[in-house]
Amino acid sequence: MSAIKTMEEPGHVGALLIGLAGSVAMGASAGIDSGVFAVVRGAALLPAMVLVVTLLVVPALYVSASMMGVAIRLPELSAAVALGLRSSGVAALGLVGPVLFLLASSSSSQVTWLLVAAVLLVTTLLGLRSIYVQLFAHRDAPGLLPLYLSWSLLVLGIGAKLVLQNLIL
């Protein structure tokens, strides 16, 4: 029996919503120095990008883990991803106040984007760590950590490309 609750249980949909709320807040703060349209655009685009990246890369993790001989049940995977998104979202919601303060006191748009990019990186790493702990920390399979690190780099690369092309540049 797994210690992780399945996605059908109450709380995991809420975890997913918290993750998206963090993305909305951080996306909105990314456009704060460019007007109302940029705030609304960022608040809509960043959660959409988070969902797209998640839907693109989670199947690859499932298949890769299966090829390594690690059987992950789909409910366990979906619950771990929801909890990872929650970890990321809680961190983003916790940092949005300080980020807004720093953005308000900054006069450079480069500082804005650098700060937002740094916060997105940190919150994404926290979410990835949460997924690893939920799915793999208790398993003893050789090569699992390098597999997860490679997958995490894929997540970071796709996410960075989307953010740079659609939100920052």
Side-chain angles (χ1 to χ4, degrees), residues 117-158:
V119 169
L120 290 176
L121 176 63
V122 168
T123 58
T124 302
L125 289 173
L126 288 170
L128 290 170
R129 180 192 175 280
S130 175
I131 293 170
Y132 179 79
V133 167
Q134 295 294 322
L135 288 179
F136 300 121
H138 62 283
R139 300 180 195 266
D140 187 30
L144 203 51
L145 183 59
L147 167 81
Y148 191 77
L149 290 175
S150 301
W151 179 80
S152 296
L153 287 174
L154 176 71
V155 170
L156 291 170
I158 293 172

Side-chain angles (χ1 to χ4, degrees), residues 35-105:
V36 175
F37 178 74
V39 169
V40 172
R41 182 176 183 268
L45 274 179
L46 191 57
M49 287 185 250
V50 167
L51 287 176
V52 165
V53 171
T54 302
L55 292 173
L56 284 175
V57 298
V58 169
L61 178 63
Y62 179 78
V63 170
S64 301
S66 296
M67 292 176 69
M68 297 278 303
V70 176
I72 302 171
R73 294 182 356 255
L74 287 176
E76 183 182 13
L77 178 64
S78 63
V81 169
L83 292 174
L85 288 171
R86 180 185 68 189
S87 295
S88 181
V90 166
L93 288 170
L95 291 172
V96 77
V99 165
L100 288 172
F101 173 77
L102 291 171
L103 294 177
S105 62

Side-chain angles (χ1 to χ4, degrees), residues 1 4 8 13-14 34 37 57 64-65 68 72-73 108 134 155 162-163 168:
M1 180 56 78
I4 299 175
E8 295 86 33
V13 172
S34 300
F37 178 74
V57 298
S64 301
M68 297 278 303
I72 302 171
R73 294 182 356 255
S108 170
Q134 295 294 322
V155 170
L162 279 174
V163 168
I168 292 181

Side-chain angles (χ1 to χ4, degrees), residues 4-15:
I4 299 175
K5 297 177 183 176
T6 62
M7 191 66 177
E8 295 86 33
E9 295 182 33
H12 291 294
V13 172

